[in-house]
Amino acid sequence: MSSIIQLLPDHVANQIAAGEVVQRPASVVKELLENAVDAGATEIKLIVKDAGKTLVQVIDNGKGMSVTDSRLCFERHATSKIRHAEDLFSLHTKGFRGEALASIAAIAHVELKTKQDQEELGTHLIIEGSKFTSQEVAVLPKGTSFSVKNLFFNIPARRNFLKSDTVEFRHIVDEFERVSMAHPNIGFILYHNGSEMFNLPIGNTRQRIVNIFGGRTNEKLVPVKESTEIVEITGFVAKPEFAKKNRGEQFFFVNNRFIKSGYLHHAVMAAYEGLLKDGCQPGYYLYLEVPPHTIDINIHPTKTEIKFDDEHALYAILRSSIKHALGQFNVAPVLDFDRDNNLDTPYSYEGREAVMPTVQVDRSFNPFTAEDKPVRASSVSAFATPGTSFRKSERQATWESLYTGINTATEEVAEINFESEEVTGSLFNDNEVEQAVYKTYQIHKKYIVSPIKSGMVIIDQKRAHQRVLYEQFLRNITVQHAASQQLLFPLILHYNQNELDLIKEMQDSLVNTGFVFTEFNHDHIVVSGLPVNVAESEVSILLEELINDLQQEVPDSSFSQSDSIAKSMARSLAVKTGTLLSDKEQENMVNALFACKEPDVSPFNKPTFITVSVEDLDKRFAL
């Protein structure tokens, strides 16, 4: 009987390994950038075409590789970072697994150009699907240039699962930001389709964060610094008033490696307890330095998750250090108040006893007597000019004089003849009287109850308004005609590069809903017109939630994008639960809902109303 188990060929094993290492073009960017950092480069260029599907190229000025190393680096389990198993718990570099380059070469066309500083000539390699097709000597500058072309060319199924260029490039930018933030001592440049997207000069951590996320980021940063035997914490947290709905600007770096940790994130949220609105997330850029032997970074293929030896102590230190930083810079509320110097006792009055005020009261004064008494100065000053005198005859009238002639007026009124009170006709016709009976009622500021012929209908006011706004926005985007209200003072809204790219992506759809953009700068936009039903105070919140929704997933087709924009705007602008509606607003809500094409469900496929028939009520009372 023949053997069933057999060893896989190397090229097949490499393709299987690539499934774990290379998930999308951003995975290639991460591996190549980390290799460039480990090579000791001081300047790294990332060149991307078609969101990495056509080309991902990383050029560095590091130490380069010899001819032998340039061949060995594409073999499986080949690495220069570890020699023994114990080295896995004492890592000071990034790329150590030894499968990344072999996996990349198995699913793409790879071109490598490298040269060491002491050598006169470098090495030029070309690999296609794990096969070396060319190797020659070339005149090259110091460093390494690694080009990955036609990713997943021999695995079409994996290529078909890639998202749109916008989504894939957003993932590339995320990896680029993470590596560049961890190494502010290295200059980074990013080109996409020939355009320069980022140019980050060498600087400190604060300058690197500001260069990536815009100039307005500097004013919201609060420095955090703590040094203990367990961990050394540096970095910044954002002030509570700059909290956002999404979790975009949240970064943990452990030993200069970006990680994701829900446990540490909970520690940060605990430090902000009582300072944030519901649903808001703070921004933070925290760098943790721990002894390498106290962490295990080899528990996940992408090395973004880390296991700590003493998580509880780390949690407590991180939470207390952030609380201390927020309190030190007067961000957290305190019981102390600033003392006003104007309230201090003057020096000349110091030591004197307070003099109690005295009040003299004329107990014999009666304002209702008609006796001839002198008029008080306060009364004179209030109603007469200085120098005016009042005689007794002028003040002789008493309160009884106010009622003189009342009898005559009463008699004249009594002689008035009124018209007959007989009703000659109805102001409303019978149909309008019937409609008046069907009045709407609001229950718990959440539901609208309206009677119908068969019973009653109970409407969820929030979902109903979402359906009305959704169809309205979608119609405006499709027809490309919407009313806009011009602002007397245009709004200036600041965003980072990723958010600006998303706003530009959906600019046409937003203009069709009524927005008017007069300027797009590198870190802000200027809005001079708004849709009719959007208040000026809601613009920043609306665009922030819209960006958050689109960052989750940017649709490929324009119709899907318009649908997502309409849904997001409807959700943001819909009347909230707990809002008191007038009778007219309730009536308009009901009429607008049943005028929609699909009034039964909200844009998110949830029911907008339920009906209760009279028979159902009779059954309940028959029990």
Side-chain angles (χ1 to χ4, degrees):
M1 185 175 178
S2 60
S3 300
I4 300 176
I5 300 176
Q6 58 182 351
L7 294 176
L8 289 174
D10 288 341
H11 68 280
V12 178
N14 288 337
Q15 288 186 4
I16 295 174
E20 294 183 354
V21 179
V22 184
Q23 300 173 356
R24 56 189 350 138
S27 304
V28 177
V29 171
K30 176 179 182 294
E31 297 290 347
L32 297 184
L33 288 179
E34 289 181 348
N35 287 340
V37 171
D38 288 341
T42 58
E43 182 178 347
I44 300 174
K45 295 181 181 179
L46 173 60
I47 303 172
V48 178
K49 289 185 180 179
D50 299 331
K53 299 175 183 177
T54 303
L55 173 66
V56 173
Q57 183 178 7
V58 174
I59 303 173
D60 66 73
N61 61 349
K63 56 187 177 183
M65 290 184 287
S66 64
V67 178
T68 304
D69 289 344
S70 62
R71 292 277 303 203
L72 285 177
C73 69
F74 292 102
E75 299 295 332
R76 293 192 68 193
H77 310 303
T79 177
S80 62
K81 314 300 170 55
I82 59 177
R83 292 291 184 269
H84 308 283
E86 292 78 10
D87 295 340
L88 290 173
F89 301 97
S90 182
L91 290 171
H92 300 274
T93 56
K94 297 183 179 299
F96 64 87
R97 184 171 41 232
E99 290 185 354
L101 296 184
S103 301
I104 294 172
I107 55 175
H109 296 161
V110 178
E111 182 178 1
L112 172 63
K113 298 178 180 179
T114 182
K115 173 185 172 295
Q116 293 179 322
D117 190 21
Q118 65 273 16
E119 300 292 336
E120 295 183 358
L121 298 175
T123 305
H124 182 196
L125 286 175
I126 298 178
I127 306 173
E128 296 180 1
S130 296
K131 297 181 180 180
F132 288 86
T133 60
S134 175
Q135 177 178 349
E136 57 185 12
V137 178
V139 178
L140 300 171
K142 173 196 172 184
T144 303
S145 172
F146 208 113
S147 302
V148 178
K149 305 175 183 177
N150 304 323
L151 193 64
F152 299 123
F153 78 99
N154 52 357
I155 311 178
R158 293 290 303 275
R159 190 176 182 90
N160 292 336
F161 274 100
L162 295 178
K163 303 297 183 180
S164 64
D165 287 357
T166 306
V167 176
E168 295 298 339
F169 182 67
R170 177 165 53 84
H171 286 287
I172 290 175
V173 172
D174 289 342
E175 297 294 346
F176 177 82
E177 290 176 350
R178 293 166 182 173
V179 177
S180 60
M181 287 178 62
H183 301 278
N185 58 331
I186 302 175
F188 289 86
I189 303 176
L190 171 59
Y191 296 94
H192 184 224
N193 292 335
S195 301
E196 183 180 280
M197 308 301 296
F198 288 94
N199 191 341
L200 309 176
I202 298 175
N204 55 34
T205 303
R206 192 184 195 108
Q207 292 171 340
R208 179 57 53 89
I209 294 173
V210 171
N211 288 334
I212 293 176
F213 298 104
R216 287 291 299 272
T217 308
N218 187 40
E219 65 185 57
K220 66 181 182 182
L221 297 181
V222 176
V224 178
K225 190 172 184 179
E226 188 70 37
S227 180
T228 65
E229 295 180 356
I230 299 176
V231 61
E232 182 177 350
I233 302 174
T234 57
F236 303 89
V237 294
K239 297 178 181 178
E241 59 265 28
F242 293 96
K244 298 183 178 181
K245 294 288 184 180
N246 61 343
R247 298 179 58 175
E249 299 180 15
Q250 296 181 346
F251 298 90
F252 281 116
F253 298 93
V254 176
N255 295 353
N256 289 334
R257 183 190 302 275
F258 172 80
I259 67 160
K260 298 177 182 178
S261 175
Y263 191 71
L264 296 182
H265 172 75
H266 190 275
V268 177
M269 296 300 294
Y272 275 92
E273 185 177 2
L275 300 177
L276 300 176
K277 298 179 181 178
D278 292 339
C280 290
Q281 295 284 338
Y284 51 82
Y285 321 84
L286 297 173
Y287 299 78
L288 284 67
E289 288 288 336
V290 298
H293 65 274
T294 62
I295 59 174
D296 184 5
I297 60 179
N298 199 26
I299 63 174
H300 193 274
T302 59
K303 297 175 288 186
T304 56
E305 297 181 9
I306 289 182
K307 178 65 177 177
F308 296 94
D309 282 353
D310 194 352
E311 288 184 338
H312 298 288
L314 194 61
Y315 182 100
I317 295 172
L318 181 62
R319 182 169 67 96
S320 61
S321 62
I322 295 176
K323 268 195 170 184
H324 176 71
L326 294 175
Q328 184 179 5
F329 289 88
N330 296 325
V331 175
V334 294
L335 295 177
D336 298 333
F337 297 94
D338 293 335
R339 186 169 57 87
D340 190 355
N341 296 328
N342 296 326
L343 300 179
D344 293 344
T345 303
Y347 181 78
S348 59
Y349 287 90
E350 191 173 4
R352 292 189 182 183
E353 295 184 358
V355 180
M356 297 300 295
T358 58
V359 179
Q360 296 180 355
V361 179
D362 185 4
R363 300 185 182 276
S364 63
F365 174 74
N366 186 354
F368 296 102
T369 59
E371 298 177 0
D372 187 12
K373 291 184 178 182
V375 181
R376 292 179 298 170
S378 61
S379 301
V380 173
S381 62
F383 299 99
T385 56
T388 304
S389 63
F390 290 86
R391 294 189 300 271
K392 179 179 180 180
S393 60
E394 295 176 352
R395 298 184 291 104
Q396 194 68 30
T398 62
W399 63 272
E400 296 177 353
S401 64
L402 298 175
Y403 296 93
T404 57
I406 289 298
N407 295 333
T408 305
T410 306
E411 293 176 357
E412 293 177 357
V413 173
E415 296 177 357
I416 297 176
N417 295 326
F418 293 95
E419 294 183 358
S420 175
E421 296 182 358
E422 180 182 359
V423 179
T424 57
S426 175
L427 183 61
F428 304 97
N429 56 33
D430 295 337
N431 294 333
E432 291 176 338
V433 173
E434 292 180 0
Q435 292 178 2
V437 176
Y438 291 99
K439 184 180 179 181
T440 59
Y441 301 91
Q442 190 180 26
I443 299 178
H444 295 293
K445 300 180 183 179
K446 184 176 182 180
Y447 300 107
I448 300 174
V449 179
S450 177
I452 56 177
K453 291 183 178 180
S454 61
M456 63 179 177
V457 59
I458 304 175
I459 302 173
D460 188 312
Q461 64 183 32
K462 179 180 178 180
R463 296 180 184 177
H465 201 202
Q466 286 178 351
R467 164 54 63 177
V468 173
L469 292 177
Y470 167 72
E471 293 197 3
Q472 175 185 339
F473 287 131
L474 195 60
R475 182 169 55 252
N476 291 339
I477 295 175
T478 305
V479 180
Q480 299 182 359
H481 178 73
S484 177
Q485 54 181 348
Q486 298 299 312
L487 297 176
L488 182 61
F489 300 101
L491 293 175
I492 301 177
L493 304 176
H494 294 264
Y495 298 101
N496 59 41
Q497 188 62 46
N498 288 348
E499 295 170 341
L500 284 175
D501 293 340
L502 280 176
I503 295 178
K504 291 179 181 178
E505 183 77 16
M506 57 186 176
Q507 179 181 0
D508 294 338
S509 298
L510 290 176
V511 169
N512 292 333
T513 61
F515 281 94
V516 178
F517 301 98
T518 56
E519 183 180 345
F520 272 89
N521 210 321
H522 68 282
D523 62 346
H524 70 271
I525 62 174
V526 179
V527 182
S528 61
L530 303 176
V532 176
N533 53 353
V534 178
E536 184 175 347
S537 59
E538 298 175 339
V539 177
S540 59
I541 301 175
L542 171 63
L543 291 180
E544 179 182 334
E545 293 181 352
L546 183 58
I547 291 171
N548 184 31
D549 291 340
L550 291 183
Q551 279 181 338
Q552 305 302 322
E553 189 63 42
V554 179
D556 296 340
S557 63
S558 59
F559 174 78
S560 298
Q561 184 182 23
S562 301
D563 183 74
S564 299
I565 293 174
K567 285 181 179 179
S568 179
M569 293 181 64
R571 179 169 53 192
S572 301
L573 298 176
V575 61
K576 302 298 186 291
T577 299
T579 303
L580 181 63
L581 301 179
S582 64
D583 294 342
K584 191 66 176 177
E585 290 173 335
Q586 297 173 31
E587 182 181 352
N588 292 338
M589 181 81 72
V590 175
N591 295 336
L593 174 64
F594 291 102
C596 295
K597 295 181 179 179
E598 297 181 10
D600 298 342
V601 295
S602 70
F604 308 99
N605 295 324
K606 295 182 179 179
T608 57
F609 66 89
I610 59 173
T611 56
V612 180
S613 63
V614 178
E615 290 78 8
D616 295 336
L617 294 175
D618 293 339
K619 291 178 182 178
R620 296 297 299 270
F621 281 104
L623 297 176

